[in-house]
Amino acid sequence: MRIADGIAVVTGASSGIGAAVAVRLAAEGARLVLVGRDPERLKTVGARTGGRAVVADLGTGAGIDAVCGAVAGTGVSLLVHAAGLGAAGPVEDTDAGTTAELLAVNLAAPIDLTRRLLPGLRETGGHLVFVASIAALGVANEAVYSATKAGLRGFADAVRIEVPGVGVTTVLPGAVDTDFFRRRGVPYDRRFPRPVSAERVADAVVHGVLNNRTEVVVPRWLSLGSRVHGAAPALFARLSRTFG
Ligand SMILES: NC(=O)c1ccc[n+]([C@@H]2O[C@H](COP(=O)([O-])OP(=O)(O)OC[C@H]3O[C@@H](n4cnc5c(N)ncnc54)[C@H](OP(=O)(O)O)[C@@H]3O)[C@@H](O)[C@H]2O)c1
């Protein structure tokens, strides 16, 4: 698809991957709608990209309404779902409130926004990007987060089949150097794989859109994990338990 001059909505645009995607799309000539909760950080990204800020909590129906209201009738051609949050810890220790928030922001919000903006995306022959995670394959001590990202991947797979006129790219990053880990309250402490930059993920997003890629894993070598998971899930679980 053509990015230049199209209207691109980016959720999670106030930070990390979403902010880097916004900057990258602005360089391609997109007209941006930047969605996030933090008005100051959205303003900073708006100044860099010329994008219009929409302050909205995507964990609420009012937040989803605000985004849809802001773009009504504008002809959105690209919708990038990057907003999300993590949680780490044993599954028995994950409380119901955390589960509800993760499900609302990481899964229900992209589903609802997609549903409501799909008529416009059909008209423009547009494109959807879902920033999932390699955790969609299942990561120990991130069970609820993994479930939201696996759900997102499944939703994207279904929409891709159901709506052939709209491109759908799912992005599965490994660890990325953003505020994500600080916000979830548990630092990334593995020596391997090393976190990649948000800009590298943004490059992969734009490449995925321009080339209508189905699934993009960043860094690319992590797709080996995805292939093992698909072909031999029991082996994947064994290897994961042994090597983390
Ligand atoms: N960092 C990683 O290692 C990694 C790896 C794989 C996948 N991902 C995924 O990449 C996406 C972006 O994460 P990131 O690494 O860029 O983290 P980040 O820097 O913490 O950014 C998260 C973004 O999501 C927004 N957000 C969170 N809750 C929201 C809510 N209730 N309503 C509206 N916006 C909300 C934040 O907006 P405000 O700041 O304005 O609240 C922020 O813009 C997430 O979906 C994450 O799951 C991250």
Side-chain angles (χ1 to χ4, degrees):
M1 73 164 275
R2 206 177 124 80
I3 292 175
D5 298 325
I7 294 182
V9 178
V10 181
T11 73
S14 52
S15 179
I17 295 170
V21 167
V23 169
R24 189 69 179 73
L25 289 173
E28 295 286 328
R31 289 178 288 156
L32 286 153
V33 178
L34 309 166
V35 181
R37 285 174 306 182
D38 186 315
E40 285 310 312
R41 278 191 283 122
L42 274 185
K43 207 165 136 191
T44 306
V45 179
R48 282 187 74 186
T49 60
R52 170 181 167 210
V54 177
V55 178
D57 182 346
L58 295 176
T60 67
I64 306 276
D65 287 347
V67 178
C68 295
V71 301
T74 58
V76 172
S77 57
L78 178 58
L79 172 56
V80 180
H81 297 287
L85 71 158
V91 65
E92 310 96 298
D93 296 348
T94 310
D95 61 61
T98 302
T99 299
E101 188 183 7
L102 260 69
L103 286 168
V105 178
N106 293 4
L107 185 56
I111 289 175
D112 213 24
L113 264 184
T114 298
R115 180 180 67 77
R116 291 181 56 179
L117 298 186
L118 202 49
L121 285 161
R122 279 185 202 264
E123 267 177 36
T124 57
H127 203 101
L128 284 157
V129 176
F130 295 90
V131 180
S133 167
I134 200 69
L137 306 183
V139 170
N141 291 309
E142 297 184 31
V144 175
Y145 178 70
S146 297
T148 64
K149 295 302 185 177
L152 198 58
R153 189 186 192 198
F155 178 70
D157 287 344
V159 172
R160 187 179 298 114
I161 298 165
E162 187 177 325
V163 191
V166 173
V168 179
T169 299
T170 311
V171 183
L172 280 71
V176 187
D177 186 11
T178 68
D179 272 356
F180 176 87
F181 298 102
R182 184 187 57 75
R183 288 193 202 210
R184 76 174 187 180
V186 179
Y188 181 75
D189 58 3
R190 291 185 192 152
R191 280 192 304 149
F192 185 79
R194 291 176 67 81
V196 301
S197 70
E199 288 70 26
R200 185 160 164 194
V201 180
D203 282 345
V205 166
V206 170
H207 184 266
V209 171
L210 290 174
N211 296 285
N212 196 16
R213 294 280 302 279
T214 300
E215 205 159 84
V216 180
V217 182
V218 191
R220 202 185 298 179
W221 66 264
L222 270 181
S223 61
L224 182 62
S226 173
R227 275 185 245 132
V228 173
H229 182 272
L235 174 65
F236 178 87
R238 261 205 314 278
L239 290 172
S240 220
R241 223 175 269 133
T242 309
F243 299 109

